Amino acid sequence: MQNMGTDYGRVAFPDNHHHHRHSDTEISNERVSYSGPLSGPLSKRAGRRSAKFNIPDSSSSNEEKYVELTFDVGTDSVALHSVKAAASTDIEEDPELTLLAKDLEKRSSSSVVRNASARIRQVSHEIKCLASFSKKQPTPARFDRTKSAAAHALKGLEFISKTDGGAGWAAVEKRFHDITNSTDGLLPRSRFCECIGMKESKEFAGGLFDALARKRNIKGDSINKAELKDFWEQISDQSFDSRLQTFFDMVDKDADGRITEDEVREIISLSASANKLSKIQKQAEEYAALIMEELDTDNHGYIMIDDLELLLLQAPNQAVRGESRYLSHMLSQKLKPTQDDNSVRRFCRDTKYFLLDNWKRVWVMALWIGVMAGLFAYKFVQYRNRAAYGVMGYCVCMAKGAAETLKLNMAIILLPVCRNTITWLRNKTKLGTVVPFDDNLNFHKVIAVGIAIGVGIHAIYHLSCDFPRILDASDEKYQPIEQYFGKQPTSYWHFVKSVEGVTGIIMVLLMAIAFTLAAPWFRRSKLNLPKFLQKLTGFNAFWYSHHLFVIVYTLLIVHGIKLYLSKEWYKKTTWMYLAVPITLYSCERLIRALRSSIKAVTIQKVAVYPGNVLALHMLKPQGFRYKSGQYMFVNCAAVSPFEWHPFSITSAPGDDYLSVHIRTLGDWTRQLRTVFSEVCQPPPNGKSGLLRADCLQGIKNPNFPRVLIDGPYGAPAQDYKQYEVVLLVGLGIGATPMISIVKDIVNNIMAMEEDEENDLESAGVNNSLTSKTPSPTSLKRKEQFKTRRAYFYWVTREQGSFDWFKGVMNEVAELDHNHVIELHNYCTSVYEEGDARSALIAMLQSLNHAKNGVDIVSGTRVKSHFAKPNWRNVYKRIALNHTNARIGVFYCGAPALTKELRQLALDFSHKTSTKFDFHKENF
């Protein structure tokens, strides 16, 4: 509160009512008795000013009773200091009437004068409304607003955020004129949401419109510009008391100053609708009863505005486990990039950071580019010294140099997709420390680009340069190459119809098809093509077009044998380049075919969850050993006998079953869900959920489609055990590999606790020194499992998504006694904390979790957060908690978040003592 240049002013109110809430007001009258509202003129000077009020009450005695309000009056601000029994009365002081003052925003003197009387009328109205409710006893204790939880709440109940409000009144005014061009200057209620920037919350904006109109006795469903400006001033008012009153008015539909259970139910339903929380909307009656039970302890059938404040100040009390006051202070400090005006020094530093972060990729790419350049130069020089150069010049050198790089690239492009080989190398060898196996698919794409460039150079120089020169060459010039081409051709068609020409053209066409359909906008069906062309997009088109490589490699070998300029077999090296990779890849496919087709897996359970997610629980095949974070391929002949699709394994290695969660995103997954839905009848009451195969309609063995699996295959997330601290981030269905890791961590922790108990029991039985040492099993487990702390962040758009792994969340919350795993669920459909649209959800969440231990958003024991995480603060908190540590960051989900998470990992690694290693799932 401002202390300099202020005096105290006192205003007295009759104390014959239940006082509830006080707005920030500005009073400058001498002590005078009033029977009307607080609306006297505002003095233009600071000083101690007070007033007396006499509000008749038939239930009171003839003796007048007063309450004294003390204000801090400054030159540009006025703040309420305290409320107590007036000295002229014998009333006992009511502790509830004491309020902690709150600074008003600094405004110009003219702004203060303009708003003062409106504020005063609001206070008078509130006191009058509550004067008739004096029988309500006892009064709940008021929260201390200096406490951290209350301070956080005071920032809440914002109706207009920075993004919603745009540029403030100027933007609202512009939208008003655009909307009312055809409505004679009147803004209809139906478009109020659009005008104030609440397009996505139409129903909530409608409720806000009704509350503001009721307060001003505005009838009808339209308002003019002046009324809109009045509405806007109250909506955008930064005073917490004003926002609280506005929210109260929204709930108080009949404007009688009290909130009934029906009104609570209605606002819960409205808030749930605004935040797309359908389950809460359906249970609005149950949650309304919970609020009334908590706040209406005397069963009056209504609650007051101070009860609403009490509920609000209770809501934001969830703190992250282990977060200290020092840490909270540190979180407020923003990590700023290092400034360096010297461009050379800045370039050197950035280069150094880049090499440190990407040295594995750098040396592999440097080796590949070096080998390509060497092969190109070798062939270029070789043909520069041959007879063909006299006729075709540098054109033949360029074509043959590109052809040599093509041979190697067509060979090594198969290696990154030899998944069994890569999994064996990363699991059984130390090559993973120097070779970036996690980037196998990215390297596959890079090589594909190299092939495209090589094909372009080779074809263009042959077709547009070499062949025309041969046709135009004189007899004397042609003579040295007659042994290769025979009699001099007389037409271009001679080259096109030859074996070399036909095989080359067909290969180029097939490669172009495969390359085009593999592009993201085709593979993910992002193009808006006509209906008859839709089959050219999607994963199926990508899958089948990619298998044209069998024809391409066959034609490539033929093309390499029928060379014009090389007749000796040992100079035709194409087959030499391809022999080993094709043999290795063929063995891989043979192993996969034999391993997966011997016996179909037994489906134990099938679940269809909200968000179009199909969960398959299978009996774990004998000998199927995997690590958390790995994935496997799934085939269903009823959908397609040839297609195999990769999915992360969601069960933990210690589970007695194998599970995958498949979200319907493409044509294959959509057909798979349809196939299983035809067999599985929906559960009773139309609810989606688990269907047990062993009891479905009394059939012991339901006729499930035949499902084959192949795997497991290595993935970046499987290396989480190498880190003592891990940050796991899953976006939507990308949580699947992280769920397996979380379960595995819990299983390992429980196993280590059992090992310790067994070691202690052994020590108790035998007191020898040898018995007190850990057992070999315990030592091996501790050596293999280094993880001692895990942070799991799951961000999803839909409330129903939490049903996918509800059991896992509850299990972790129950079994993780030492708080090794910190779980954070984020629902992005809910407006961020502080927004009035989510305020009641936050209040309700706090109440229900305190009473029942269940979160109303996720339906688990883990409290959910609203909106999107602040990833910089997430990294910052982990860096402060684990200084001088190396953190493994594992992410699975949409590519949009990859760049931000990777960049933050680099920033914090360079500017703090904590190092972050970022890994993204790619398969």
Side-chain angles (χ1 to χ4, degrees), residues 531-696:
K531 193 171 183 180
F532 68 94
L533 293 176
Q534 285 296 322
K535 289 188 177 180
L536 295 179
T537 64
F539 193 88
N540 283 350
F542 157 76
W543 176 266
Y544 288 113
S545 66
H546 241 57
H547 282 76
L548 294 172
F549 80 94
V550 177
I551 303 173
V552 171
Y553 275 96
T554 303
L555 294 175
L556 181 61
I557 293 173
V558 174
H559 187 82
I561 292 174
K562 295 287 185 176
L563 291 176
Y564 284 118
L565 298 175
S566 297
K567 300 302 181 183
E568 297 86 354
W569 69 271
Y570 57 85
K571 290 184 179 180
K572 300 175 180 180
T573 56
T574 304
W575 67 272
M576 299 179 188
Y577 279 102
L578 300 178
V580 174
I582 287 180
T583 301
L584 179 62
Y585 185 79
S586 299
C587 291
E588 283 253 346
R589 296 303 295 259
L590 182 62
I591 291 171
R592 287 176 58 178
L594 293 175
R595 182 174 59 190
S596 60
S597 61
I598 293 175
K599 187 179 180 181
V601 291
T602 301
I603 304 294
Q604 292 181 315
K605 302 173 186 178
V606 176
V608 179
Y609 291 116
N612 290 323
V613 170
L614 175 70
L616 301 180
H617 289 237
M618 298 159 274
L619 186 66
K620 188 187 296 184
Q622 188 174 2
F624 191 92
R625 296 183 178 86
Y626 62 96
K627 298 179 180 180
S628 289
Q630 292 186 330
Y631 66 96
M632 66 183 185
F633 281 84
V634 177
N635 169 271
C636 181
V639 177
S640 172
F642 305 111
E643 291 184 48
W644 292 80
H645 293 259
F647 298 101
S648 296
I649 301 172
T650 53
S651 54
D655 294 336
D656 57 357
Y657 63 91
L658 188 65
S659 67
V660 291
H661 286 65
I662 302 171
R663 186 165 194 176
T664 304
L665 293 174
D667 37 21
W668 187 88
T669 52
R670 188 161 42 248
Q671 293 174 41
L672 182 72
R673 186 179 184 275
T674 301
V675 167
F676 274 95
S677 298
E678 291 174 354
V679 178
C680 303
Q681 297 299 320
N685 302 326
K687 295 181 179 179
S688 60
L690 197 62
L691 298 175
R692 295 183 179 274
D694 54 3
C695 63
L696 184 64

Side-chain angles (χ1 to χ4, degrees), residues 19-59:
H19 193 78
H20 64 301
R21 186 84 224 120
H22 306 269
S23 301
D24 298 332
T25 57
E26 299 167 5
I27 310 295
S28 59
N29 298 327
E30 298 296 338
R31 186 179 295 245
V32 183
S33 294
Y34 284 81
S35 60
L38 280 167
S39 57
L42 183 70
S43 174
K44 295 182 180 179
R45 62 182 180 83
R48 180 174 300 180
R49 300 291 179 266
S50 58
K52 252 185 184 180
F53 291 84
N54 176 18
I55 301 178
D57 188 347
S58 59
S59 63

